[in-house]
Amino acid sequence: MSFPLNPEQAAAVRRSDAPMLVLAGAGSGKTRVITAKIAHLVAQGGDPSRLVAITFTNKAAREMRERADALLAGAGRRDAAAKVRVATFHALGLAIMRAEAKALGLKPGFSVLDPQDLEGIVAELAATADRARTRKAQWRISQWKNALATPAEALAGAKDADEAIAARAYARYADALAAYQAVDFDDLIRLPVELLERDGEARGRWQAKCEHVLVDEVQDTNPLQYRLFRALVGERGRFTAVGDDDQAIYGWRGATLENLAQLPRDYPGLVVVKLEQNYRSTTRILASANALIANNPKLHDKRLWSDRGHGDAIRVVAARDEDAEAGIVASAISAHRFEHRGRWSDYAVLYRGNHQSRPLEAALRAQSIPYEVSGGQSWFERAEIKDLVAYLRLVANEDDDPAFLRAVAVPKRGVGQATLAKLAEAAAARDESLAAAVRAPAFAAVAHARAHATLVEFVAMVDRLRHRAPREPAGRLIDDLLRAIGYEDHLLATFDKREAAAKIESVRDFTGWLARKGEADRRTLVELTQAIALITMLEGRDGEDADAVRLSTLHAAKGLEFPHVFLVGLEEGILPHRESVEAGTIDEERRLMYVGLTRAERSLHLSFCRTRKRAGGRTDCTPSRFLAELAQDDLRWAGAPLPPDEAAREKAAGSARLAALRAALARPGPTR
């Protein structure tokens, strides 16, 4: 089987008899290599149902599957495409948990709770109404779980009173989730790891299902994800790990470069292949990216190169303040697009923190430039979608009390807080779920007759759907659910006509998507409901095809590319971030800057502010140290004093341009 691969890519694809690490520099075609290797393994007689490709995002998984499907179809193996498992770490963990639910002490219909669901649980356990404190406790609990730390270890290591409160909440957190037959995102990795490491039989089953494992972005794995990978590939080590230590930017969420360093120790026969040819950026952009990242210590040295030409100089602008900077960027985008007849979507403005988007949005609006902000509201954050998901979770799992409380309240049924408080008391006394307690004689004795009858009918309606769920198409069940609860009528009665229409359209869009996904993936309503918690619809629905300028944080821009990139706010305290400077984690900030530089294909514009608003006043800003680490010969400064040699070069270049313009004007025009 032949592929349009360079020699290094071909070496990564065709070698399958040893564990392999592919060091894939930015823009070096790593997805092409992974999908080509899948096709190669199938062509060599590999069982496609025992090939597993693991990614970090749904978008990456979709792209990988589409490319693998196309390659396999082109090789006459369309039948193999659907058998290859392409999934995120969390989706793979969920698949293991579904298959091993009994061994994990879970019902098949267990719920996967999102952070918003968990916020109320943690607030109650921590006995606080302070949202900031609650979220901080959630974050610490997540860190402890990923480190497999026990509650006793967490309490012993608590650094302050807030951490001690979080540790005590952590001690009761697992019991709270167990009561709801629920898990959180961390459990989707933690529980499979614990099972596979203690149960040799289960480990053997899953290793047999993973003849060859391909892992994308291995530098972004945390210790727990690495342990799941190790449990799946075992000692034989049939895997291809693809990553780039220069793009490791997620240390703040637990990712560690130690996993990359550990690979050759765990697998002494590891073959390392470097992909250094960049297919994205011009030579000038890569020269500055290489110069910058050379200041970091290296696990594996590499240097990107390109045959895409020298390219334009990198522009560096010193702006008066953030409003002036935003205005300069908006004007530059407008002028550049007009001159080059491009699309708005050719341009991206990247920054360190979300707060930096505000002046940029104002400036773009002022010049009537369409834009989109990465990180906007996800489909699943909309109230109407969360309402329906609560019903679906309750259909899947009667013990899901958070879902019960949301579903029973929308639409309103005349069941007040006093009735729900009595129901909660009855459930606690019997150590059962709210739905189960509805049927208890003790609750019937204390509840108002009408409210009790309403709750009994509500639970019966959910039960009827639950009994149908394993056998009937998800789309039909969802339509029946909407009719049974009169949800569209509820929206029309609750909101003004325009808002209600928008919400109804959102609901229909959602239910149509669920029906199609259920049919395409042959998933029951219960399986779809569990998967919903893992799907970030933003990745597929945030206007990727819209003709609009993209505003994005550097973290959210990883994996993307744009013809023209504006990187703003390059000041000490912002990039590198003040907290990173204080913590001594400058290396990761430098990698973040490197990621920003290597998003650009043809032109790159950098800017910083001389002053910035802070605490009601103005503060002088210092240009980022990273600017001094770039390839200085390829920078063209504006709005700041230039070094003498640079000034001379700029003056000479300007004189040459002026002379060329005069010569052109002096030439006689065409006769008419």
Side-chain angles (χ1 to χ4, degrees), residues 381-507:
E381 291 172 356
R382 299 176 188 175
E384 64 272 19
I385 303 305
K386 289 186 76 69
D387 289 343
L388 295 188
V389 170
Y391 275 95
L392 299 182
R393 280 170 39 191
L394 195 57
V395 168
N397 175 15
E398 183 184 74
D399 294 331
D400 191 336
D401 284 357
F404 179 97
L405 291 171
R406 181 162 191 132
V408 80
V410 182
K412 294 187 183 301
R413 293 179 168 80
V415 177
Q417 289 301 313
T419 299
L420 291 175
K422 291 175 182 176
L423 179 62
E425 289 175 11
R430 295 168 58 89
D431 193 23
E432 61 188 8
S433 68
L434 295 173
V438 166
R439 309 182 190 94
F443 174 62
V446 297
H448 187 280
R450 184 174 176 181
H452 180 255
T454 298
L455 286 172
V456 167
E457 172 50 34
F458 170 74
V459 170
M461 180 266 294
V462 172
D463 282 347
R464 288 192 293 272
L465 290 169
R466 183 179 301 115
H467 292 313
R468 294 168 56 192
R471 299 181 299 278
E472 297 185 35
R476 183 192 305 164
L477 289 170
I478 295 163
D479 288 343
D480 288 352
L481 167 64
L482 287 173
R483 280 193 293 273
I485 64 176
Y487 192 72
E488 290 192 6
D489 291 339
H490 153 72
L491 293 175
L492 289 167
T494 307
F495 302 97
D496 64 51
K497 189 174 181 180
R498 185 174 178 179
E499 189 174 0
K503 288 179 178 290
I504 288 171
E505 183 180 0
S506 175
V507 167

